[in-house]
Amino acid sequence: MPDEFASLMASMRACRICDGLPLGPNPIFQLDARVKVLIVGQAPGRITHAKDRPFDDPSGVRLRAWLGVDEATFYEDPRIGLFPMGLCFPGTGTSGDLPPRPECAQAWRAQVMAALNAVELTLVLGQYAIAWHLPALKGVAVTEAVRRSSDGQSGVFVLPHPSPRNNRWLKKNDWFEAEVIPRIQSHVARLLDAPL
């Protein structure tokens, strides 16, 4: 099984199925067969594409604070995984980055999720990730999706994007950082405290 997983990861890194990407293909993800905490988002942005490292920006600082982990743990602990709906930067539209390319999820998502047997906690960011991982919440406003998953009893939390652009949302919905973040941190600490 480790050889099969390694082969799948190598195939994803070599993926070139999306034509016409503005910066060319550069699949960015962080996965290990031992992942227990899986972060699923939309797609890498322009900065992530350039740095070749997800969440290496102010959004990542906030996300790590929400998880209660430092930078080294976030990037080096094999129990933390990052698997966006689109693996490559999709380009920029009139109101921000374009949606993840659908070819990516069609090609990789089901087989990767089937191979991740150790996942116990999934953190879902964005409407495309919600639609795939929580189809019952497809089309539900972010605030309501966050609220409906706020107990984490199913092992899934919906998060607002940790971008500084969401400061207004966080201020208006202060219950999220006061009530939900401690639950997430508790789950993460429990999963990372166990031996590898």
Side-chain angles (χ1 to χ4, degrees), residues 115-150:
L116 293 173
N117 299 318
V119 174
E120 294 185 41
L121 177 64
T122 303
L123 306 174
V124 182
L125 293 87
Q127 65 176 326
Y128 297 96
I130 291 170
W132 200 94
H133 289 270
L134 297 164
L137 294 180
K138 182 178 180 179
V140 172
V142 170
T143 303
E144 185 59 22
V146 171
R147 194 178 299 280
R148 288 192 200 176
S149 70
S150 64

Side-chain angles (χ1 to χ4, degrees), residues 25-113:
N26 181 26
I28 297 173
F29 56 92
Q30 176 180 303
L31 292 171
D32 186 285
R34 296 168 287 179
V35 166
K36 290 188 175 295
V37 179
L38 182 64
I39 301 161
V40 295
Q42 303 289 86
R46 185 179 297 275
I47 293 172
T48 296
H49 177 93
K51 290 185 172 183
D52 202 25
R53 187 161 119 147
F55 289 106
D56 187 10
D57 57 14
S59 297
V61 172
R62 177 174 277 159
L63 179 59
R64 289 185 285 279
W66 285 352
L67 299 178
V69 301
D70 61 20
E71 188 172 323
T73 302
F74 186 78
Y75 289 114
E76 296 169 19
D77 193 314
R79 295 169 294 186
I80 295 178
L82 302 164
F83 186 37
M85 294 302 298
L87 301 179
C88 298
F89 172 60
T92 305
T94 55
S95 60
D97 289 350
L98 293 171
R101 295 285 294 262
E103 303 96 315
C104 194
Q106 292 163 6
W108 303 113
R109 199 126 202 113
Q111 60 183 318
V112 169
M113 293 305 298

